[in-house]
Amino acid sequence: MRNRKSPSTSLLMMLIFATCLIGISAQTTTATTFTVDTLDDDPALTACTAAENDCSLGGAIAAANANAGSDVIDFSVTGEIVLNSVLPNLSSNIAINGPGATDLVIRRDSSAPEFRIFSFRSAGVAISQARWARASTTQADRS
């Protein structure tokens, strides 16, 4: 006598196979990381490659804003980033991860006019392990 599979067993096998295929083909999205490798306040430094001194904080923010999806900005430098002008708005999902609150200070130059260090245009912004100083909290947001 021959063992025949019931229709429900065949259906179950097909569902398991389809689930495995979906699991294999599903792609996980990962955030793009931009590494700030200079303390210079130069927004033109947006390359953010493995080359040295080609990614400023302003440049990394501009590159992250232009990139689709979530992004991470981290730092290979420590010290002070002294800003003479406002940084670009944070307008996409960005996590800014400093090397440590005592290792990185982002501040406005005392001779520069008052401005905010960071302006948020996205709910998906997180900043950790850095501190900022001489920032305005009363200046109106930029458009």
Side-chain angles (χ1 to χ4, degrees), residues 13-73:
M13 295 294 280
M14 285 184 355
L15 285 174
I16 290 171
F17 179 73
T19 303
C20 289
L21 283 178
I22 290 170
I24 290 170
S25 66
Q27 294 183 4
T28 57
T29 56
T30 58
T32 302
T33 300
F34 299 96
T35 301
V36 175
D37 60 5
T38 180
L39 297 173
D40 292 340
D41 177 29
D42 186 348
L45 296 176
T46 61
C48 301
T49 66
E52 291 183 17
N53 300 316
D54 72 345
C55 191
S56 68
L57 177 56
I61 292 171
N65 285 340
N67 188 55
S70 298
D71 301 294
V72 174
I73 296 174

Side-chain angles (χ1 to χ4, degrees), residues 31-140:
T32 302
T33 300
F34 299 96
T35 301
V36 175
D37 60 5
T38 180
L39 297 173
D40 292 340
D41 177 29
D42 186 348
L45 296 176
T46 61
C48 301
T49 66
E52 291 183 17
N53 300 316
D54 72 345
C55 191
S56 68
L57 177 56
I61 292 171
N65 285 340
N67 188 55
S70 298
D71 301 294
V72 174
I73 296 174
D74 63 15
F75 297 80
S76 66
V77 293
T78 58
E80 282 191 336
I81 297 175
V82 180
L83 302 172
N84 292 301
S85 60
V86 66
L87 290 168
N89 289 325
L90 297 163
S91 61
S92 63
N93 293 336
I94 301 173
I96 299 177
N97 302 322
T102 59
D103 297 323
L104 181 67
V105 177
I106 304 163
R107 69 173 180 87
R108 177 185 57 83
D109 188 291
S110 60
S111 65
E114 284 196 17
F115 56 83
R116 290 178 185 251
I117 301 286
F118 296 108
S119 286
F120 306 98
R121 296 283 184 245
S122 171
V125 173
I127 301 172
S128 65
Q129 296 301 307
R131 66 186 163 102
W132 51 93
R134 295 190 184 145
S136 171
T137 57
T138 58
Q139 181 200 21

